[in-house]
Amino acid sequence: MVEQLLSRPGVRLSFLDGVLEIRRMPGEKHETIKERIGSLLDLYLLQMGIDYQPTGSMKLESPSGW
């Protein structure tokens, strides 16, 4: 079954501490809204003189390194 999920586009699998999480990837509407909100936030922080570091999508790992 996991092999079938790995071959499907738009499915993300995460495994941490013995737990397998299966998620659908966000669609185009989600990505469009995310980018617009990000752009507005960038402009606001620039106008307010607030220094920040955009990081995009980050991969979180277990403290044990797995």
Side-chain angles (χ1 to χ4, degrees):
M1 179 174 172
V2 174
E3 291 86 9
Q4 292 172 341
L5 288 172
L6 289 172
S7 65
R8 292 182 64 188
V11 175
R12 178 178 288 171
L13 301 178
S14 302
F15 186 78
L16 180 62
D17 295 329
V19 176
L20 176 64
E21 181 179 26
I22 304 169
R23 292 180 284 155
R24 286 184 38 186
M25 297 288 289
E28 183 179 343
K29 183 177 180 180
H30 168 86
E31 293 298 323
T32 300
I33 293 170
K34 178 190 78 160
E35 289 298 320
R36 289 182 179 172
I37 291 172
S39 296
L40 291 170
L41 186 57
D42 285 342
L43 288 171
Y44 173 77
L45 293 172
L46 182 64
Q47 289 291 319
M48 298 302 292
I50 299 171
D51 188 30
Y52 71 102
Q53 179 70 36
T55 57
S57 180
M58 295 178 57
K59 179 180 175 185
L60 301 177
E61 295 183 2
S62 165
S64 65
W66 287 95

